Amino acid sequence: MPVKVSFKSNHGIQGSYEVPLDKSIAQRSAILGLSTNPGVEGEDIVSTKKAAKQILSGADNLCLDMGNSGTGMRLMAGFIAGLGIDAELVGDESLSNRPMERIAKPLREMGAEIYLKEGKPPIKIAKSDIADEFIYDLEIPSAQIKSCLLLAALSAGTKIKIIEKETTRNHTELLLQHLDADLAVKKSNGETEITLDATKPITAKDVFVPGDFSSAAFLIGAALISKDADICIENVGINPTRIGFLEVLKEMNANIKIENVREANNEQIGDIHVKYSPLKSVILAKDIIPNIIDELPLLSVLACFAEGETKVSGAKELRVKESDRLSAIELMLKNIGVEFDVFEDGFNIIGKGANYQFSSGNFVSLGDHRIAMCSALCALKATENIFIDNVQSVTTSFPNFFEILEQMGFTIEEA
Ligand code: S3P
């Protein structure tokens, strides 16, 4: 659905908000058949829950539709490979174009029988035996690959050691420890070694899923570039492997405070208080990239309204997300009128400062939820309406995104 978005307000964005449930934690919980709290669920969570139900039904030779979710497909593939059942995993057009060899290769090394179509979905898994012990050096810094392999070992009841050089989100490790799994994490010489002995049983427990930081990031971004804004986003997951974006924003001069910090099932939760802040540019260190990978399109928008040149490199993984997000950033920024350069693994943007406004724009989301949401925020800095070609995809992670924008003072109409 194409939309027309504008923001005209005499006072900045105010109020307290909650965001949908954390996709990463909810999807992992769903695959393990654990009960979770109610809350707004993106379609990625819904499709993973549906697939998990199909598996729990005990039927063999399943066809599981993972929708738009790379996390759902990759983690589920590992879990199924370990279970030793026949299954096929399919997805929508975007997911059908995403690389799966990155999980198929190590799963085959573990003993699984997996077939892809030219490296992409559908993924066919045939009954097979998983090796009793497996050691894997994570070549691509990806929590999805790490979690796929941990879940394969878990459902097969085998032992696995994974070595990661760059830290990626650790929700699977924390969840398995919550379930009393024999899982140890050792850090030395800048590497992390994760060992799981899944010959020992785990205990099913309830899981509290907080709000998704990657969704909260859009509201944080909105407040930072809207004059006089002062908002609080409550009950957000603030796992340190997820909130590198806050560190980057603080370096950019953002006024952000985390309040009321608490913990549930090993995950930290807090309320995020954000005020309008004139931002300055930042040069990102490469090792923080996996931690802020989902927030980089948003950072590109904020960089346009920051003072100075922002530089991001080492982010070629952006090319294989729900869209080629570096191309999507390029198309998005063309509307804003800043000088920028997008290259193979990153971008440089010369910001025009907090007072900069552009007139209008025709944004294309490439069917990618995060690009559609970034585009909508640009209305805060446009003097006229902006247009976005298709925003249907926001339902995959943030079904009530536009309702929240309306509460904040945006006007959204079908175009
Ligand atoms: C996720 C890991 C990240 C992230 C995705 C969710 C997860 O992907 O981009 O949105 O829940 O494990 P990669 O593992 O491909 O980096």
Side-chain angles (χ1 to χ4, degrees):
M1 186 186 65
V3 292
K4 182 165 92 178
V5 188
S6 64
F7 181 83
K8 283 177 194 70
S9 164
N10 295 327
H11 54 84
I13 297 168
Q14 308 288 326
S16 290
Y17 301 91
E18 285 211 45
V19 289
L21 299 182
D22 184 290
K23 277 204 302 167
S24 293
I25 301 175
Q27 288 184 291
R28 284 156 172 79
S29 304
I31 292 170
L32 297 179
L34 306 168
S35 349
T36 51
N37 46 303
V40 177
E41 290 178 345
E43 272 170 15
D44 285 359
I45 300 177
V46 176
S47 58
T48 304
K49 276 187 162 176
K50 208 165 142 198
K53 248 195 191 158
Q54 281 177 266
I55 293 173
L56 277 177
S57 74
D60 204 352
N61 227 335
L62 296 168
C63 182
L64 308 174
D65 184 356
M66 305 313 301
N68 187 252
S69 179
T71 306
M73 181 171 276
R74 294 189 178 120
L75 270 56
M76 198 54 111
F79 189 69
I80 290 173
L83 279 182
I85 57 173
D86 294 312
E88 181 175 10
L89 288 90
V90 299
D92 70 5
E93 199 188 324
S94 148
L95 184 52
S96 301
N97 275 304
R98 296 185 65 187
M100 293 297 152
E101 192 55 36
R102 53 179 58 199
I103 56 156
K105 184 170 169 273
L107 283 174
R108 284 188 200 111
E109 287 168 15
M110 283 177 90
E113 207 179 316
I114 308 244
Y115 305 93
L116 307 176
K117 194 177 149 206
E118 288 161 19
K120 294 174 179 171
I123 305 181
K124 287 195 175 137
I125 303 172
K127 280 187 191 75
S128 51
D129 283 329
I130 297 295
D132 291 338
E133 290 189 23
F134 184 62
I135 300 179
Y136 189 68
D137 256 303
L138 208 59
E139 289 152 24
I140 305 171
S142 159
Q144 292 179 357
I145 303 174
K146 172 177 68 175
S147 303
C148 163
L149 303 181
L150 285 171
L151 292 177
L154 180 80
S155 56
T158 59
K159 293 181 185 173
I160 189 166
K161 182 192 284 185
I162 298 178
I163 300 135
E164 68 175 5
K165 289 185 189 64
E166 287 160 89
T167 305
T168 66
R169 63 187 71 189
N170 65 354
H171 301 298
T172 306
E173 296 89 306
L174 296 183
L175 181 59
L176 291 179
Q177 284 173 332
H178 168 63
L179 304 178
D180 304 324
D182 185 353
L183 183 143
V185 179
K186 212 169 74 193
K187 287 189 195 258
S188 64
N189 302 327
E191 286 188 353
T192 308
E193 211 177 85
I194 303 140
T195 23
L196 170 67
D197 177 355
T199 61
K200 314 236 175 81
I202 58 169
T203 323
K205 291 183 194 172
D206 290 354
V207 175
F208 178 77
V209 184
D212 197 316
F213 177 78
S214 300
S215 297
F218 292 101
L219 309 191
I220 295 171
L224 288 174
I225 59 170
S226 164
K227 282 235 163 77
D228 301 324
D230 185 345
I231 67 166
C232 185
I233 312 152
E234 293 173 348
N235 285 318
V236 184
I238 50 164
N239 176 320
T241 63
R242 286 289 296 283
I243 59 165
F245 186 53
L246 292 185
E247 281 165 44
V248 172
L249 291 176
K250 280 183 187 155
E251 223 180 300
M252 294 175 81
N253 191 41
N255 185 339
I256 300 180
K257 289 193 177 68
I258 300 184
E259 295 159 356
N260 197 14
V261 176
R262 52 223 184 261
E263 206 181 289
N265 33 265
N266 297 328
E267 292 281 358
Q268 288 181 46
I269 302 155
D271 302 335
I272 304 177
H273 192 163
V274 194
K275 289 184 182 173
Y276 165 73
S277 315
L279 298 175
K280 57 185 176 70
S281 60
V282 70
I283 297 175
L284 280 202
K286 286 198 177 131
D287 58 357
I288 203 171
I289 298 287
N291 190 312
I292 69 163
I293 193 76
D294 292 341
E295 286 69 61
L296 286 174
L298 175 60
L299 179 70
S300 78
V301 171
L302 300 183
C304 295
F305 306 102
E307 205 68 61
E309 184 168 3
T310 291
K311 294 184 178 191
V312 175
S313 60
K316 71 170 187 295
E317 275 294 298
L318 285 177
R319 298 247 176 232
V320 290
K321 291 293 177 186
E322 286 84 328
S323 69
D324 172 345
R325 286 190 172 151
L326 284 167
S327 296
I329 287 170
E330 193 167 2
L331 292 170
M332 189 165 61
L333 299 197
K334 276 187 181 154
N335 285 294
I336 302 179
V338 293
E339 253 182 78
F340 69 93
D341 178 29
V342 171
F343 42 91
E344 197 37 44
D345 70 345
F347 51 82
N348 295 338
I349 298 169
I350 303 179
K352 291 202 179 226
N355 292 324
Y356 176 64
Q357 286 188 302
F358 66 107
S359 57
S360 165
N362 287 304
F363 289 81
V364 284
S365 68
L366 300 182
D368 184 327
H369 57 133
R370 299 204 197 280
I371 303 301
M373 290 189 275
C374 284
S375 303
L377 298 192
C378 294
L380 286 166
K381 293 294 191 182
T383 52
E384 314 281 333
N385 292 314
I386 64 154
F387 296 85
I388 313 172
D389 67 333
N390 180 3
V391 295
Q392 183 54 37
S393 57
V394 304
T395 57
T396 61
S397 63
F398 204 155
N400 56 344
F401 176 69
F402 286 104
E403 280 164 43
I404 291 186
L405 287 199
E406 279 175 338
Q407 286 166 28
M408 288 181 153
F410 287 71
T411 305
I412 295 127
E413 288 169 63
E414 230 177 283

